[in-house]
Amino acid sequence: MQLKRLGIMQRLLRKVPVYLKCLNKNKQKIGVRFISSSIPEDRVIFSGIQPTGVPHIGNYLGAIKYWVSLQQEPGKIFYSIVDLHSITIPRERDSLHCHILDMTACLLACGIDPEHSVLFQQSDIPEHTLLSWAIGCVVPVNRLKILPQWQERMKQSKDGGHIGTFTYPVLQSADILLYKATHIPVGEDQLIHINLTNELAQVMNRRLLKPFFPRVHSISTSTSTRIRNLRDPSVKMSKSAYSEQTRIELTDSDDHIWRKIRRSVTDCTSEIAYDPENRPGVSNLIEIHCGFSNLTPDEVCADAKGLDTGQYKRVVADAVITVLAPLRQRFHRLRNDEGHLRSVLKNGADRAREVAVANWECVRRLLGLCA
């Protein structure tokens, strides 16, 4: 058994360079996702992440890991810590400040490079809210009311909801359009927001009497975009879950990672097989394993042949620890230098501001707001 486990780890370690690209004729393989090699040089990518503190592995595999790989491709990239979005839920001032720096350190530790990407804090660029107001003046109220996100919030709200929550999608569209982004890395559950952004862009272009805002295209993230709750695989992994045992955070210790995976919910069948519908717990572990090793589900199941779920959990934990241990060290080193983190955000804001101000001034002129 030890020899079998050693063989699996040796194979995993050969694939640890997560962002290694293997050329295959006219296609590139990043993890398990294929993209066309003919990427336009003028592509503009925008994506944002809320400052909820240290991200969990669902955030990492579903977004951050892919963000890092995009830096190796042509085009401009804007990554924003969307703090204005985060205050739709009340937060303590000191806690929010700490979470912004935590998220900045995590993104840098994961491989976001300020030399290749514009990393900035949303609220440092007031043009986000200016453009959001302009868009909000042309979008019908009934269009926002039918959005699933608002309807879900209304079910949970006792006071009818807040304006910030209602207009959240408008600000989200403004975030994208302000930089005239052409491509957005999203999972399937976010495609509705891309469709809304394109709809609002068309409305604004008619108002501006010219095709100022380009059409936005989604670029799919890896297959590991829906990592599930470790204790309840019927729902996705989330920071808002009731217990820390439901998720693995990027800064968890090796012992905590192993303990959380060991206690994860599986089933009574010992064989390792990928079957998300009938065996969601084991399939979730396989997804995690794939995301941290660049193996496919078939490869993982072949390697795990003969292991029961208890033994396989140890293999998954080793795969996660192999990647997260050095990342955790980089995070702590970066987090201890708050001056550097603030400098990164300031420099990013300066670069983002150049684009944001220029584009907003064009919109302002086309709307007739310039005296």
Side-chain angles (χ1 to χ4, degrees), residues 209-223:
L209 301 178
K210 68 177 297 183
F212 183 77
F213 295 113
R215 181 171 182 78
V216 178
H217 303 274
S218 63
I219 44 179
S220 176
T221 57
S222 68
T223 57

Side-chain angles (χ1 to χ4, degrees), residues 8-136:
I8 295 173
M9 286 303 301
Q10 287 175 337
R11 182 171 182 177
L12 185 154
L13 288 170
R14 288 197 298 269
K15 298 197 177 191
V16 160
V18 176
Y19 313 118
L20 182 64
K21 299 182 180 180
C22 302
L23 296 180
N24 179 16
K25 294 184 179 180
N26 293 325
K27 293 188 175 180
Q28 289 178 309
K29 187 177 181 183
I30 302 175
V32 292
R33 172 185 171 272
F34 287 95
I35 61 173
S36 170
S37 60
S38 56
I39 298 172
E41 293 287 338
D42 60 349
R43 183 173 72 168
V44 180
I45 292 172
F46 178 91
S47 197
I49 189 168
Q50 288 199 30
T52 54
V54 175
H56 55 67
I57 62 171
N59 303 134
Y60 174 73
L61 296 178
I64 299 172
K65 174 184 170 183
Y66 182 46
W67 285 12
V68 174
S69 70
L70 287 172
Q71 295 178 127
Q72 309 304 318
E73 300 173 5
K76 296 179 180 178
I77 302 177
F78 296 87
Y79 291 142
S80 179
I81 298 175
V82 287
D83 51 347
L84 293 176
H85 287 294
S86 72
I87 61 174
T88 55
I89 298 174
R91 301 179 187 277
E92 294 291 334
R93 179 185 62 185
D94 292 342
S95 175
L96 180 56
H97 171 73
C98 180
H99 286 174
I100 290 170
L101 294 178
D102 284 345
M103 182 60 71
T104 304
C106 269
L107 293 176
L108 296 176
C110 288
I112 297 299
D113 184 352
E115 295 297 321
H116 292 89
S117 303
V118 179
L119 177 61
F120 68 100
Q121 190 176 332
Q122 180 191 31
S123 63
D124 281 338
I125 313 297
E127 285 74 19
H128 283 257
T129 52
L130 291 171
L131 181 58
S132 178
W133 175 260
I135 296 173

Side-chain angles (χ1 to χ4, degrees), residues 147-300:
L147 293 175
Q149 184 181 32
W150 172 249
Q151 293 183 346
E152 186 63 29
R153 289 292 180 90
M154 283 295 290
K155 292 177 183 178
Q156 302 171 357
S157 175
K158 297 180 180 180
D159 57 6
H162 300 283
I163 295 297
T165 304
F166 184 65
T167 59
Y168 186 108
V170 178
L171 179 57
Q172 197 171 40
S173 295
D175 295 336
I176 296 168
L177 297 177
L178 183 60
Y179 301 94
K180 301 181 78 169
T182 59
H183 292 77
I184 312 297
V186 293
E188 291 183 4
D189 58 334
Q190 293 292 313
L191 290 178
I192 188 172
H193 297 297
I194 300 300
N195 294 334
L196 177 65
T197 298
N198 280 323
E199 183 181 326
L200 298 182
Q202 290 179 358
V203 173
M204 283 298 292
N205 285 341
R206 288 195 294 269
R207 177 71 177 82
L208 300 176
L209 301 178
K210 68 177 297 183
F212 183 77
F213 295 113
R215 181 171 182 78
V216 178
H217 303 274
S218 63
I219 44 179
S220 176
T221 57
S222 68
T223 57
S224 301
T225 55
R226 299 284 288 181
I227 300 301
R228 317 307 293 184
N229 183 308
L230 293 176
R231 305 295 293 170
D232 179 8
S234 67
V235 297
K236 70 178 184 178
M237 189 173 288
S238 172
K239 293 281 285 189
S240 61
Y242 62 92
S243 168
E244 291 185 356
Q245 298 302 312
T246 64
R247 62 187 178 271
I248 297 172
E249 298 189 350
L250 299 191
T251 55
D252 279 349
S253 69
D254 294 354
D255 287 342
H256 282 148
I257 293 170
W258 164 232
R259 188 155 53 243
K260 290 177 179 181
I261 291 177
R262 185 181 63 193
R263 295 175 179 174
S264 64
V265 171
T266 51
D267 53 48
C268 297
T269 303
S270 62
E271 182 185 4
I272 307 304
Y274 186 65
D275 184 357
E277 184 174 348
N278 297 310
R279 303 187 66 193
V282 171
S283 297
N284 189 43
L285 292 179
I286 292 173
E287 286 279 6
I288 293 171
H289 192 176
C290 291
F292 280 96
S293 64
N294 273 8
L295 297 171
T296 67
D298 286 344
E299 290 174 325
V300 163

